[in-house]
Amino acid sequence: CMFRQQTDWEVVEDVQVEIHSGGEHPLEMTTPGICEGYLLKRRKWPLKGWHKRYFILEAGILRYCKNQQDVFRGRVQGSLDVSLAVMSINKKSNRIDLDAGDILYHMKAKSHELFYIWVTKLQAHRLFKKNEAAHVQSGFLLSLSNNTYRASISKTPNSVVPKSTGRRTKLPAHCPDNSHVGLMAILYNNIGKDLARVSMPAALNEPVNLLQRLCEELEYSDLLDTANNTPDPYQRMVYIAAFAISGYSTATFRNRYKPFNPVLGETFECIREDRGFRLISEQVCHHPPISACHADSDNFSFWQDQRWKNKFWGKSLEIVPTGMVNVTLPRYGDHYEWNKVVTCIHNVLSQQRYLEHYGEVTIQNLKNSVCTCKITFVKSRYWGSDTNKNEVQGTVLDQSGSVIHRFGGLWHEGIFCDTLPTPKCIWKPNPQPKDYLLYYGFSTFAMELNELTPDLKPLLPPTDSRLRPDQRMLEEGKVDEADIKKDEIEEYQRERRKELTKKGEDHVPRFFKNRYKPFNPVLGETFECIREDRGFRLISEQVSYPGGSGLGSFWFSMYNFCRIVT
């Protein structure tokens, strides 16, 4: 094994495991012995303090219980495949960190001898598990490398570049070098926190915000136009699925910068006559941050309200969206609804960071149950090669659960469906513009989002994102000025919220309203519930008043005192 030095921490890198698909017998490797005993484990929340836990490492799987007795009772509190985790060690403090993206273990040994025993055992089990997985999956990887999907996509000509719309094809200035920004200090001071609440230097941003990002999901709205003109409901679902996948392709070259967070009440309007749609988006709530958008076209309506939870887990940054995406097609009266998947930025503290999406998407037609769609964004594995990164697989099912259509590919290269009457590539991303890496990795469509022409400026409301000065300064290359203005805008927003609090008022969105907002309790209001049939009694009380609520259920959980007695 080799080590990469980073202050007192060292990232353990295993020797690469080669995959030999031609041999009849996999490389035999003795299963490492079981390692078990007590270690200190850092608390999950609020990540302060340590507690003693009993760990068992067997066949590459690390499990832990509260004590040794719980092992025999089967009371396991957590488990982790060590081959899927990045392993970091700190010799001075006898600490071991295992980061699998969605799972993070901070462990500490009480002695240097015990520390070295666990490090040695973990290395052996990681190598064993990776070797085992490599041979189990060798056949899969071989078939995947020769799949009807990727080969067919690569043979499909690139999408025809749209005719010039007269809009800009580059930004006023190149993206800034942000390698000097102390990202490590910022993130490590906020481990486990929602990063939407953390102010970031302007150099870490790209000159578009989350409201404009919602509009960016309509870059391939022609798929919805096609769906609205497809009579067969199963084929129609295939195009809806392709549209749901296409929205993730914008992230392919966008892992160095983050979008601006909109301020409360900020709006963005986009009228694209060349694409046949118009969109309005608005920041309707600040804590939690919620962005809403609605777009109309002759062929579809598209809307969503999205909130994001950002979590930093040590070496990866996970973005977990909530809320649903909705699309209606007027010709057939369809109403499709689906969820979004997790986005994770790996190696976030280094210049070799990369981004992936993973999770399950379910698309339902709320007006007709004739078919549903299941899409899997496959999570990459450390032992895998580049051929299986960004993989997407999907099926369209009838009411009995039988597969009618299947499709697949890579979310950054395209999607192929081999069960259509004529098998074909149903979506392929547009080619990137010239020098795109100098302009934040933007696509041609993204380049146009923040453009402010003289004839457009007098038509926009003062809340429009294109009139936001710090974002405009960053786009023009004035990074220092953008930092100062960004701080001023965020401070103004805090002062505005304080004024609303004093008046006991809520912010009222201009273009959207919450249809399901519960009553807000007044200060001192209580609720008691005694359920003898369920064996509990509950008392809750409004003990503080934060100055109004964007969504009642959120404020209830954050600001109410609740006690359950059983």
Side-chain angles (χ1 to χ4, degrees), residues 97-134:
D97 281 9
L98 295 172
D99 182 2
D102 51 345
I103 304 175
L104 176 62
Y105 287 176
H106 299 285
M107 302 175 294
K108 185 193 294 186
K110 286 191 174 181
S111 69
H112 210 52
E113 293 75 15
L114 189 60
F115 165 77
Y116 270 107
I117 290 173
W118 275 99
V119 169
T120 303
K121 286 291 187 179
L122 282 167
Q123 287 175 302
H125 280 262
R126 281 159 58 85
L127 186 58
F128 166 78
K129 192 69 174 178
K130 288 185 178 183
N131 181 73
E132 180 186 61

Side-chain angles (χ1 to χ4, degrees), residues 453-484:
T453 57
D455 58 327
L456 178 63
K457 187 174 182 179
L459 303 178
L460 296 177
T463 54
D464 194 273
S465 299
R466 283 160 289 198
L467 301 177
R468 182 169 170 170
D470 54 346
Q471 187 171 307
R472 181 64 56 189
M473 290 173 178
L474 177 64
E475 183 183 274
E476 295 172 350
K478 303 173 183 176
V479 182
D480 294 337
E481 293 94 327
D483 250 328
I484 296 173

Side-chain angles (χ1 to χ4, degrees), residues 504-528:
E505 299 177 356
D506 289 341
H507 169 77
V508 179
R510 184 178 297 272
F511 298 106
F512 298 86
K513 65 180 180 179
N514 183 10
R515 291 182 297 175
Y516 306 108
K517 181 179 177 180
F519 282 100
N520 294 326
V522 298
L523 187 62
E525 186 174 339
T526 62
F527 173 74
E528 296 183 54

Side-chain angles (χ1 to χ4, degrees), residues 19-22 133-146:
I19 300 174
H20 302 282
S21 57
H135 286 288
V136 168
Q137 296 295 331
S138 60
F140 168 76
L141 289 177
L142 182 62
S143 63
L144 182 64
S145 65
N146 297 322

